[in-house]
Amino acid sequence: MKYKERISDKQLQKLLRLSGAVLVSGVKWCGKTTSSRQFSKSEVCLDNSEEGKDLIKFANAMPSDILNREAPLLIDEWQNAPRLWDAVRREVDNRGKRGQFILTGSSTPLSSEERKEIFHSGFGRIANLSMHTMSSYETGFSYGKVSLSKLFENGKEYISEHSDRTLEDAAFALCKGGWPASVDDDDEDALEIPYILLDELINIDVQRKMEKMNLRKNPSDVRRLLRSYSRNVSTQASKSLIRKDMSQSEDVLFNEDTLNKYLSLLESMFILEDVEAWSPYVRSKVRVQGSPTRQLSEPSLAVASLGLSPSALLKDFRTFGFLFESFVIKDLRVYASALNASIYHYRDSKGLEADAVMELRDQRWAMFEVKLFDPDRIDEGAKNLIKIKEKMDYMHMKEPSFLMVITAGKYARLREDGVYEVPISLLAP
């Protein structure tokens, strides 16, 4: 299968020019290894195959010897031999050269045993690159006619574009997900991939991690947690609500300490990826809420957790709306990474909210609402964005580069109120 370029490729190239080593992290099967292979000249795979297990033993016993290969050396699933971290740092110092190593990992060390093996943060030697599953632009679902970077540069730019993607197409794209292995599959078989991957994550990968953390293996509890998280995706659901939702009776709540350990575990495996709250300067005394918005890193895992399909979403627009927001947030995160930007959400004590805020390093920012297709809801989203804009204190911050409502509709335009209305199937970084 021909390699499809990723938005993160240019970032990886840049970091290899600037740093001795690069850590590429992200949820399993998002394409870290395949992407990194495009830029490496040798490779060591520390997976759970028989060969990988032998290499892990060797790497833990003699980490420096593993590194004696042609640079850039790709070390896949490095966290299985955590002593390599310090060995890489030392070797970077010894060689005094950039672009020596690429480390990929679908989890971060959490157990006390693993953490003991890492004595140095890697600061100044090992750069970080977060990778996601493929965005709509990368899979080809988006035609990419509306560029976020151009809007940041040009401000109020007139646009009038059309997409032939339907609501049914959006439901299919959401349920299929951005998994590189199924990017060319357009039939019903592609919808099975998230279910297969979810089962493997829960029954194999999470259980291995639990064993290392001395947690009792319990796939059913992990499945219940992911189902609860998926039911509350794109909301600011509290941990106590999730705990109550997981409990099998009102009288016996799920253990709070165990829940926190499970959450840390799933975050360390890049399965859960909440959106943090934005803290802007506001003129009024309205308090900005600080609770994170619950998200999975790949929305199709939420679809699989809930046992849904495109036809089921089209019969339940409320659920479709929450999951579509998650679908858009994942895309925005990928696009933000290309712009050296971060993604947040905004909500204040008066109930005004924006589903996403993209903030660049130079403090330019844009704000987004996500609405499926209903014109009244789109109008409401645009009005909310304008109200939030009017609350900001521009003595201490820049005005927004633009405001945008992202939809599953067909038309991209600059509305009369100055807010962009853009289908996700036309958006690009």
Side-chain angles (χ1 to χ4, degrees):
M1 186 171 65
K2 184 180 178 182
Y3 176 71
K4 288 184 178 289
E5 290 187 10
R6 304 295 297 272
I7 289 172
S8 58
D9 286 351
K10 290 183 179 179
Q11 297 167 271
L12 179 53
Q13 284 180 295
K14 180 179 179 180
L15 291 175
L16 285 169
R17 293 195 304 268
L18 298 174
S19 183
V22 180
L23 170 63
V24 183
S25 57
V27 69
K28 195 172 183 181
W29 305 292
C30 73
K32 301 180 297 296
T33 304
T34 303
S35 180
S36 297
R37 280 176 179 152
Q38 312 310 307
F39 308 100
S40 65
K41 292 184 178 179
S42 60
E43 178 179 345
V44 173
C45 186
L46 304 177
D47 60 14
N48 286 290
S49 65
E50 287 305 313
E51 182 182 358
K53 288 177 181 177
D54 289 340
L55 281 169
I56 290 169
K57 292 177 183 177
F58 182 55
N60 280 322
M62 304 179 68
S64 297
D65 287 4
I66 281 283
L67 306 182
N68 189 24
R69 289 165 168 79
E70 187 177 6
L73 166 63
L74 166 60
I75 307 173
D76 190 31
E77 299 296 347
W78 74 272
Q79 75 281 351
N80 289 327
R83 290 189 67 190
L84 279 172
W85 182 268
D86 280 343
V88 165
R89 178 190 62 81
R90 287 192 299 270
E91 193 63 24
V92 167
D93 285 345
N94 291 339
R95 294 183 188 182
K97 296 179 180 179
R98 298 175 180 176
Q100 297 299 294
F101 304 102
I102 305 172
L103 291 76
T104 65
S106 51
S107 67
T108 57
L110 265 186
S111 72
S112 56
E113 288 284 324
E114 292 171 327
R115 289 197 298 270
K116 285 178 184 176
E117 303 295 342
I118 301 174
F119 301 107
H120 193 281
S121 68
F123 180 77
R125 284 90 162 181
I126 305 175
N128 291 291
L129 175 60
S130 296
M131 196 167 174
H132 292 82
T133 52
M134 298 176 84
S135 65
S136 296
Y137 182 62
E138 291 167 296
T139 63
F141 177 72
S142 171
Y143 296 113
K145 294 181 178 179
V146 179
S147 166
L148 292 171
S149 58
K150 288 184 179 178
L151 291 179
F152 271 111
E153 292 299 325
N154 302 328
K156 290 292 187 293
E157 183 179 73
Y158 176 78
I159 58 171
S160 179
E161 299 287 353
H162 172 260
S163 169
D164 60 5
R165 303 295 192 195
T166 64
L167 196 62
E168 289 78 7
D169 293 332
F172 186 90
L174 166 58
C175 293
K176 173 184 171 182
W179 307 103
S182 62
V183 66
D184 293 323
D185 298 334
D186 291 322
D187 55 18
E188 294 297 310
D189 287 347
L191 300 177
E192 291 299 315
I193 297 296
Y195 282 86
I196 294 169
L197 299 183
L198 179 67
D199 284 344
E200 187 170 332
L201 278 171
I202 291 174
N203 296 322
I204 299 176
D205 296 275
V206 172
Q207 301 311 308
R208 284 193 187 122
K209 195 80 170 175
M210 292 175 79
E211 187 175 21
K212 286 184 177 181
M213 295 175 65
N214 295 318
L215 289 173
R216 182 172 63 89
K217 293 183 179 181
N218 198 327
S220 61
D221 278 354
V222 176
R223 193 174 292 275
R224 280 162 54 206
L225 171 55
L226 284 173
R227 190 178 296 123
S228 176
Y229 227 85
S230 300
R231 274 196 292 266
N232 291 288
V233 80
S234 301
T235 74
Q236 284 86 50
S238 65
K239 287 184 182 180
S240 60
L241 189 151
I242 293 170
R243 182 182 172 211
K244 184 178 180 181
D245 192 33
M246 286 181 66
S247 303
Q248 295 178 320
S249 74
E250 292 185 4
D251 297 326
V252 183
L253 290 177
F254 190 82
N255 184 272
E256 184 176 6
D257 183 57
T258 303
L259 172 62
N260 288 330
K261 288 179 180 177
Y262 281 8
L263 291 173
S264 295
L265 173 70
L266 295 173
E267 288 169 3
S268 79
M269 297 179 70
F270 310 104
I271 297 170
L272 304 183
E273 190 176 18
D274 292 345
V275 179
E276 297 301 319
W278 190 48
S279 300
Y281 291 97
V282 292
R283 283 197 300 269
S284 69
K285 295 182 180 180
V286 174
R287 189 165 56 90
V288 176
Q289 303 292 305
S291 301
T293 299
R294 306 300 178 187
Q295 298 289 1
L296 276 71
S297 61
E298 168 48 58
S300 66
L301 291 177
V303 171
S305 292
L306 297 172
L308 298 173
S309 64
S311 60
L313 290 179
L314 292 167
K315 293 174 184 175
D316 181 358
F317 283 124
R318 185 175 185 277
T319 300
F320 191 1
F322 284 119
L323 289 168
F324 179 70
E325 179 181 326
S326 185
F327 181 63
V328 171
I329 293 297
K330 197 281 293 287
D331 276 6
L332 288 177
R333 276 182 154 141
V334 176
Y335 303 156
S337 66
L339 304 177
N340 291 317
S342 299
I343 294 294
Y344 305 96
H345 78 89
Y346 174 91
R347 182 178 177 85
D348 63 31
S349 57
K350 296 294 184 180
L352 277 179
E353 63 180 318
D355 297 321
V357 178
M358 184 179 292
E359 186 175 50
L360 278 60
R361 287 180 180 172
D362 61 6
Q363 280 73 59
R364 283 181 293 165
W365 59 281
M367 192 171 278
F368 305 83
E369 275 278 79
V370 181
K371 305 295 179 184
L372 265 176
F373 65 93
D374 187 309
D376 290 338
R377 297 297 305 278
I378 293 171
D379 287 344
E380 176 189 322
K383 289 176 182 176
N384 279 345
L385 292 175
I386 293 170
K387 287 179 182 177
I388 295 170
K389 175 187 174 182
E390 291 171 348
K391 286 188 173 186
M392 299 298 117
D393 181 359
Y394 297 115
M395 292 289 290
H396 296 91
M397 61 187 292
K398 297 179 179 180
E399 293 200 22
S401 297
F402 58 91
L403 307 175
M404 181 183 292
V405 180
I406 301 176
T407 75
K410 290 180 173 291
Y411 300 98
R413 63 186 179 118
L414 178 60
R415 297 161 47 100
E416 291 184 0
D417 56 15
V419 178
Y420 287 100
E421 178 182 330
V422 180
I424 191 63
S425 58
L426 289 176
L427 207 57

